[in-house]
Amino acid sequence: MNTTKFIDEHLFPGQIGYFLTILSLVASLVATYSFARAFFSKEISLQAQWEKLAKMAFIIESVAVASCFVVLFYIISNHLFEYKYAYMHSDKNLPYQYLLSCFWEGQEGSFLLWSFWHCVLGLVLLATKKKWGESFAGVMMVLNFVQFCLATMIVGLYIFDMKLGSSPFLLLREEMNWPILSRPDYLHLIKDGTGLNTLLQNYWMVIHPPILFLGFASTTVPFGFAVAGLIKKKHDWMDKSLPWATFSAGVLGLGIMMGAAWAYESLTFGGYWAWDPVENASLVPWLTLVSAIHACIIYRKTGSSLKLTYLFFGISFLLVLYSTFLTRSGILGDTSVHAFTDLGMNAQLLGFLLIFVIPYFVLFFARFKHIPEPQKEEAIDSREFWMLIGSLILFLSAVVIISITSIPVYNKLFGTKIAPPEDAAFAHNQVQVFVAIIIGLLTAVGQFLKFKGTAKAFLIEKLKLPLLVTIVITALVYIFIGVAFKEKGIGFEGAIYVAMFASIYAIVANIFFWVTMQKAKLKSAGSSIGHIGFGMVLLGILISSSNKTVLSWNTTGISPLRVESNKSPAGNPRENITLFEGIDTDMGKFMVTYVRDTFDILNKRFFELKFKEKKTQSEFFLYPDVLKNNKGMEGFSANPSSKHYWNKDIFVYVTSFQDNSKEDTTTFKPHQIALGDSIFYSNGYIKLEKVLVNPNSSRPAGTNELVLQLAITSKEGLKYTANPGIVLEGMNLQSNVDTIKAQNLVLSFNKVIDQQKGMLEIGVKESAALTNLITLKAYEFPFINLLWLGVIIMTFGFGLATWNRAAKLKEK
Amino acid sequence: MKKTHIALLVLIAAAIVVLISYTGDLSSYETIASAKQKEGKFVNLIVKMDKSIPVQYDPIKDPNLLEFNVQDSLGGKISVVYHNTMPTDMEKSERLVLKGKVQGEHFECSAIVMKCPSKYKDNPNAMKNQPVTISN
């Protein structure tokens, strides 16, 4: 046993933390058991007794979880680096607003966050208990059991050599084998933590994880209703669970898109969505949840689709668990750029998944025959028929996405060596564009359909005008924006156009529906506004992705000898352009100049880039930055910068940079040269093409100017021109040197040696101290704001639907 | 049979067709030797850098040309051409996943995925025996 007395350690917060995690573990178990007893007991008095106990346990659990949160925050914000969590995820220089991000950087903190939201949701359920009737105890039972499982994740206990969870209150010296940690004064040697990954030092990373985890946590509630309904064979919980479901879908959707906004702003894959497994894993529960909401509405109105409602609500929650397993177990390995680190809890994570999957499906299939289904058929012109088709398509699209995302799981299970396709994103896009078409059209037409059947004349009359407007708008989009994406052939391009039409139709028809049928009132407008937002999201994705253009096409500086390799076999465009400090570089529509670079206090290096639009001569500056030695990374990590216009974004980031701080010790070497002659320098030759006398007509009076036109050709065949000159003012002679930074050349015009023979002297200096350069990628994303606006409107729609449905519950 | 059931079957069939057609696009992880035999086919290689031959990258001449050499665990070696900038910590990387095709004598790479000692997140195991920010 280690009996060293360590100096200046703060062990108290950790001890409280351990106590609180164990308390929450025990309390959640007690709450689960008591709510279960209350739920299953037939006697009212017994029910009340158990519920009282359960309530107490739940409140204790909530207090414990919330306090745990506070203690961990205390540890991080006071920089108590004796704790591994603070050491690994924060440092002293971290700006205050990012202390919260440290929380979610590690698995333990994000489990705690998830657990915290369950407590909040549970307290809301508790406070409004009367509304939920018989389901209440059942929902709380499920919720508390999830809480119990989450508590095991952070308890950090060893049971018979098996590690259960990973505690955020572990001490550094308990975990690491560094020799210095056995010294009593080790804390004085640890000056600082390893810090928060700079990619996460972004305001989106403060807000995105809490929203996303609230979305995850809230899927538990409809799941709880479904479990309670299946157990008791009572299928009257739809009205009660719908506001929770719409709330969950709204929050989850918002959380996912905030993650996309973060990826867009701070990752350099050049976009907001890359079909990365981690992204897919969070998208898929959202899709199934939306399916579940629609199936649930069908059941309420017509009595059919009950089985699907149970299936979809169940699967939405189970997919949240599955995505937890995928992103936290390290199984994604090489396929994802942003999964959590493997904490060696794979078995436990798998257990967490299976302990819900197996009982739920056993229960579902045991009850399958007893779930009522009306014998009558849905009419083909009814709303429920097409709503059902729509939710099935969304569900199957989720199935396709998650099947593809699970490839690493198959490899693990079957020992195969399957890898993603050559163009993994396109493999998704070519399928999902058709989903977008069908869902877009259904979203447009579906609103005007009525349950149980719709009169044809009514439908045609109502859909005529929106269709006309849509055709006009689509034509305008076609003419003024179009689709720049031709790489995948005419079929895919055509599909994008059809999908654009469908999403515009979805927007227009829902606006018409809201204005003409709902008289533009906010009551019960949740669905039409939500669908308008959804249509805008689709359209924003289609336009911005299909018109994403590379601005930094490398047309300058490429050697003519290499032209043949310009079209690389991989079809990989040459998207990087080299910028030399102080030199204007032609980049398509813009002239770009790397003006200078500066460091800020966090050691971020900002590059000031001046963009000048050739056509309008308007200028703007962008400041992409790089951070050297970011958290264990040896090189640098780049942060993009973008210029936002109302209709497009210019998006740039630095792909590499080269500093040259070598001393400039070389001197000018004189060379004699005549018109038409060439001289050699170390990397090519210089030819004197012309001597210009007074080329600049606006020179000051009384001065004379001689300017040389030198053509420089490098070994690689690169061509440059330089114009060194001299200015004579009376007896004063001023030499104007010219530099070719790309060749490290400085050229001067020294003097005229023999005017008769045209013999001149030029100075050539080859310096190594010239080349400060960066390579840059620049993209243009048109109409990306449509996407963000769509997300906001859609979230507002979900919020409205939640509000209205919750208000209706009150009236009862 | 109800219409909804027919629709359900049709849609499930469509999903299955989509998944099956997707399997046709899938690629595989190969060794350098087996990739050479499948010249022109898109493959994934798990390799590490062969540091005995210097990396060729000069953004002044061409920022979109990187040439380097790799070897795999079975000892196979190949030179790689990558038409992009040099990934930042490529030389520090423990291993690389290269996506691309063998073309003649070299591997024409379209994407590089790096497996670093620590990339996006800390790897606690990598740090276990060695502190990062200690100053005596």
Side-chain angles (χ1 to χ4, degrees):
Chain A
M1 224 26 230
N2 200 340
T3 51
T4 320
K5 182 95 180 86
F6 294 101
I7 301 166
D8 286 342
E9 273 187 338
H10 301 74
L11 296 180
F12 189 54
Q15 285 157 354
I16 297 182
Y18 268 115
F19 169 73
L20 290 169
T21 44
I22 291 169
L23 181 66
S24 78
L25 182 80
V26 175
S28 56
L29 192 62
V30 173
T32 310
Y33 180 73
S34 321
F35 275 121
R37 289 302 294 265
F39 181 60
F40 287 106
S41 112
K42 301 233 162 30
E43 269 178 66
I44 306 254
S45 63
L46 216 58
Q47 244 176 42
Q49 274 173 21
W50 278 114
E51 230 175 73
K52 212 171 155 190
L53 178 64
K55 217 166 112 177
M56 234 158 62
F58 179 70
I59 288 171
I60 291 172
E61 173 198 330
S62 303
V63 171
V65 169
S67 313
C68 229
F69 214 91
V70 173
V71 171
L72 187 56
F73 189 71
Y74 175 84
I75 287 174
I76 293 173
S77 60
N78 283 295
H79 309 298
L80 303 183
F81 295 129
E82 53 269 51
Y83 293 96
K84 188 187 153 207
Y85 206 80
Y87 178 79
M88 298 288 276
H89 301 294
S90 69
D91 63 39
K92 286 178 182 165
N93 290 327
L94 201 65
Y96 197 76
Q97 66 269 30
Y98 298 133
L99 285 176
L100 272 173
S101 317
C102 302
F103 240 102
W104 359 113
E105 197 193 32
Q107 288 212 29
E108 299 88 344
S110 56
F111 273 129
L112 199 57
L113 176 66
W114 191 355
S115 188
F116 173 77
W117 283 127
H118 274 143
C119 292
V120 172
L121 295 170
L123 290 173
V124 172
L125 281 163
L126 204 66
T128 51
K129 190 185 150 229
K130 289 205 180 90
K131 280 186 193 171
W132 320 114
E134 226 183 314
S135 307
F136 171 75
V139 174
M140 288 301 280
M141 167 186 81
V142 173
L143 187 113
N144 276 288
F145 188 58
V146 182
Q147 281 291 77
F148 171 72
C149 295
L150 287 175
T152 63
M153 295 289 173
I154 55 166
V155 72
L157 284 178
Y158 281 86
I159 300 170
F160 307 120
D161 275 356
M162 221 195 79
K163 190 180 159 203
L164 192 66
S166 166
S167 171
F169 301 107
L170 265 181
L171 292 176
L172 199 55
R173 63 178 158 88
E174 292 171 325
E175 186 73 356
M176 304 299 190
N177 306 326
W178 310 342
I180 64 148
L181 291 181
S182 53
R183 285 171 59 167
D185 61 343
Y186 82 94
L187 262 182
H188 294 273
L189 303 175
I190 294 176
K191 302 281 188 229
D192 208 349
T194 55
L196 177 68
N197 191 320
T198 35
L199 292 175
L200 304 179
Q201 293 182 29
N202 179 298
Y203 52 93
W204 286 120
M205 267 299 140
V206 182
I207 183 92
H208 152 69
I211 301 286
L212 190 72
F213 276 100
L214 177 57
F216 283 162
S218 54
T219 57
T220 310
V221 181
F223 176 72
F225 276 107
V227 170
L230 281 177
I231 291 175
K232 293 240 162 138
K233 299 181 202 165
K234 277 192 181 165
H235 314 298
D236 59 349
W237 49 275
M238 304 300 161
D239 284 340
K240 294 167 195 156
S241 98
L242 262 179
W244 290 100
T246 49
F247 172 77
S248 181
V251 172
L252 188 56
L254 183 66
I256 294 168
M257 290 316 288
M258 280 179 167
W262 166 73
Y264 179 65
E265 282 190 11
S266 39
L267 297 186
T268 48
F269 59 69
Y272 46 84
W273 196 264
W275 295 107
D276 185 277
V278 173
E279 295 166 351
N280 297 350
S282 62
L283 173 69
V284 164
W286 184 82
L287 290 172
T288 57
L289 194 59
V290 172
S291 294
I293 290 169
H294 287 89
C296 188
I297 290 170
I298 296 172
Y299 173 68
R300 275 179 67 250
K301 293 283 184 183
T302 68
S304 64
S305 304
L306 184 56
K307 282 173 186 155
L308 286 178
T309 308
Y310 276 113
L311 183 69
F312 291 166
F313 273 130
I315 281 192
S316 301
F317 172 74
L318 299 175
L319 279 171
V320 168
L321 298 185
Y322 182 59
S323 76
T324 303
F325 170 70
L326 281 183
T327 52
R328 288 167 189 263
S329 65
I331 200 165
L332 293 174
D334 296 331
T335 57
S336 169
V337 287
H338 46 188
F340 280 94
T341 317
D342 183 357
L343 281 183
M345 307 200 308
N346 293 4
Q348 198 182 347
L349 284 164
L350 190 62
F352 184 27
L353 174 64
L354 295 179
I355 209 160
F356 285 95
V357 169
I358 295 170
Y360 188 77
F361 279 105
V362 167
L363 184 63
F364 179 70
F365 287 112
R367 292 285 188 267
F368 195 78
K369 278 191 178 156
H370 305 288
I371 300 174
E373 186 153 5
Q375 284 309 302
K376 66 168 181 8
E377 254 201 90
E378 288 89 355
I380 203 144
D381 57 357
S382 68
R383 188 188 270 197
E384 60 267 29
F385 181 78
W386 292 105
M387 246 165 109
L388 184 66
I389 302 286
S391 59
L392 280 173
I393 287 173
L394 276 185
F395 176 73
L396 290 171
S397 124
V399 170
V400 168
I401 294 171
I402 202 70
S403 308
I404 294 173
T405 308
S406 302
I407 286 176
V409 181
Y410 313 141
N411 282 345
K412 195 104 183 171
L413 281 178
F414 308 114
T416 47
K417 287 195 161 188
I418 310 168
E422 181 166 0
D423 192 341
F426 177 67
H428 280 288
N429 289 337
Q430 63 180 354
V431 176
Q432 300 307 330
V433 73
F434 291 101
V435 173
I437 291 172
I438 302 172
I439 294 296
L441 290 176
L442 289 177
T443 307
V445 179
Q447 286 283 33
F448 292 96
L449 291 169
K450 291 183 171 167
F451 285 105
K452 313 246 157 105
T454 321
K456 209 175 253 165
F458 168 83
L459 197 62
I460 291 171
E461 194 219 299
K462 288 290 175 190
L463 283 172
K464 220 167 36 188
L465 195 55
L467 185 64
L468 203 68
V469 173
T470 305
I471 291 170
V472 172
I473 295 177
T474 311
L476 291 176
V477 169
Y478 180 82
I479 294 164
F480 291 108
I481 305 171
V483 170
F485 191 82
K486 314 269 182 206
E487 287 102 87
K488 299 294 177 185
I490 188 83
F492 189 61
E493 199 191 329
I496 294 175
Y497 275 118
V498 178
M500 277 184 185
F501 169 81
S503 52
I504 293 170
Y505 198 22
I507 300 168
V508 172
N510 276 286
I511 292 175
F512 267 80
F513 181 77
W514 182 47
V515 173
T516 61
M517 309 286 283
Q518 296 182 321
K519 308 290 172 220
K521 279 181 192 151
L522 279 185
K523 203 169 163 92
S524 74
S527 103
S528 30
I529 290 178
H531 285 116
I532 292 168
F534 179 70
M536 288 171 71
V537 169
L538 280 185
L539 187 63
I541 291 171
L542 288 164
I543 294 183
S544 64
S545 308
S546 66
N547 286 298
K548 170 184 163 185
T549 44
V550 179
L551 295 174
S552 52
W553 277 111
N554 200 335
T555 50
T556 53
I558 288 187
S559 135
L561 302 173
R562 281 240 175 81
V563 167
E564 90 285 350
S565 68
N566 205 350
K567 248 177 84 184
S568 78
N572 201 7
R574 323 187 111 209
E575 296 182 351
N576 299 283
I577 197 163
T578 307
L579 300 178
F580 299 95
E581 189 173 0
I583 306 241
D584 295 347
T585 307
D586 190 321
M587 197 182 81
K589 282 190 260 182
F590 299 96
M591 291 301 286
V592 188
T593 319
Y594 159 26
V595 184
R596 64 202 173 102
D597 48 81
T598 49
F599 285 89
D600 76 349
I601 41 161
L602 289 171
N603 224 13
K604 268 189 181 173
R605 180 176 179 165
F606 288 89
F607 294 94
E608 182 175 307
L609 305 179
K610 188 174 85 179
F611 279 70
K612 189 171 189 177
E613 199 164 356
K614 284 181 190 165
K615 224 195 281 172
T616 59
Q617 294 292 306
S618 61
E619 286 181 3
F620 60 89
F621 290 88
L622 284 175
Y623 300 89
D625 64 84
V626 297
L627 191 105
K628 272 196 111 163
N629 296 325
N630 173 32
K631 204 168 185 189
M633 288 170 55
E634 292 287 346
F636 68 94
S637 54
N639 246 323
S641 164
S642 26
K643 165 84 178 166
H644 305 286
Y645 293 91
W646 71 271
N647 62 348
K648 68 180 179 207
D649 274 14
I650 307 284
F651 176 96
V652 303
Y653 64 94
V654 174
T655 46
S656 73
F657 65 98
Q658 221 174 68
D659 260 337
N660 224 325
S661 50
K662 282 179 214 151
E663 286 286 310
D664 185 7
T665 52
T666 52
T667 50
F668 283 97
K669 254 190 230 160
H671 288 272
Q672 289 196 4
I673 191 168
L675 202 65
D677 278 0
S678 296
I679 54 164
F680 288 95
Y681 70 103
S682 66
N683 197 41
Y685 61 90
I686 302 164
K687 184 179 173 191
L688 177 58
E689 288 194 321
K690 260 185 214 164
V691 180
L692 308 164
V693 182
N694 291 333
N696 190 357
S697 55
S698 63
R699 68 185 189 283
T703 60
N704 281 301
E705 215 179 348
L706 271 181
V707 177
L708 305 182
Q709 187 172 321
L710 301 172
I712 294 115
T713 310
S714 76
K715 278 205 295 243
E716 299 85 20
L718 303 172
K719 288 186 192 305
Y720 308 89
T721 24
N723 299 98
I726 43 175
V727 181
L728 264 168
E729 192 181 356
M731 290 303 287
N732 286 332
L733 188 139
Q734 187 202 333
S735 177
N736 291 337
V737 297
D738 200 357
T739 49
I740 305 295
K741 289 203 178 181
Q743 294 291 317
N744 295 328
L745 272 181
V746 186
L747 298 165
S748 67
F749 178 12
N750 290 355
K751 59 190 173 192
V752 180
I753 295 175
D754 188 333
Q755 205 160 7
Q756 297 296 305
K757 292 178 185 163
M759 190 61 80
L760 314 170
E761 186 186 294
I762 61 171
V764 177
K765 180 163 106 165
E766 293 190 53
S767 166
L770 289 173
T771 48
N772 268 352
L773 65 90
I774 56 174
T775 60
L776 187 79
K777 266 193 197 187
Y779 296 107
E780 181 177 313
F781 283 99
F783 289 98
I784 191 156
N785 284 337
L786 199 60
L787 168 63
W788 308 132
L789 185 65
V791 172
I792 293 167
I793 293 178
M794 187 170 77
T795 309
F796 178 70
F798 273 121
L800 211 57
T802 307
W803 182 261
N804 289 333
R805 287 195 189 280
K808 270 186 201 154
L809 278 179
K810 225 173 259 172
E811 284 162 19
K812 275 186 183 170
Chain B
M1 212 165 163
K2 294 208 298 187
K3 278 190 218 89
T4 44
H5 290 162
I6 297 169
L8 183 66
L9 288 178
V10 169
L11 289 175
I12 289 174
I16 291 171
V17 168
V18 163
L19 282 176
I20 289 173
S21 72
Y22 180 84
T23 57
D25 292 341
L26 288 170
S27 59
S28 56
Y29 290 100
E30 302 283 346
T31 62
I32 289 175
S34 65
K36 278 180 179 166
Q37 281 165 9
K38 296 176 182 170
E39 194 177 329
K41 186 173 176 283
F42 181 84
V43 292
N44 297 254
L45 298 180
I46 299 176
V47 293
K48 63 179 188 186
M49 304 229 359
D50 180 354
K51 286 178 183 151
S52 60
I53 306 166
V55 175
Q56 301 276 327
Y57 183 67
D58 185 356
I60 296 171
K61 285 180 196 152
D62 186 348
N64 294 303
L65 181 68
L66 171 70
E67 289 166 303
F68 58 103
N69 287 270
V70 295
Q71 58 191 36
D72 65 10
S73 53
L74 298 175
K77 292 186 177 186
I78 196 164
S79 65
V80 180
V81 175
Y82 179 51
H83 288 280
N84 213 321
T85 48
M86 181 159 135
T88 319
D89 29 12
M90 190 176 83
E91 284 175 298
K92 311 280 188 222
S93 194
E94 278 174 351
R95 60 197 182 111
L96 305 168
V97 180
L98 305 179
K99 296 168 184 286
K101 296 166 182 160
V102 173
Q103 296 221 317
E105 290 301 300
H106 73 277
F107 186 75
E108 187 71 37
C109 182
S110 58
I112 300 177
V113 181
M114 284 179 297
K115 206 67 196 171
C116 295
S118 67
K119 195 165 75 179
Y120 181 74
K121 291 277 173 189
D122 296 307
N123 183 345
N125 297 327
M127 266 175 66
K128 203 155 195 164
N129 297 310
Q130 196 194 353
V132 180
T133 55
I134 306 292
S135 54
N136 281 301

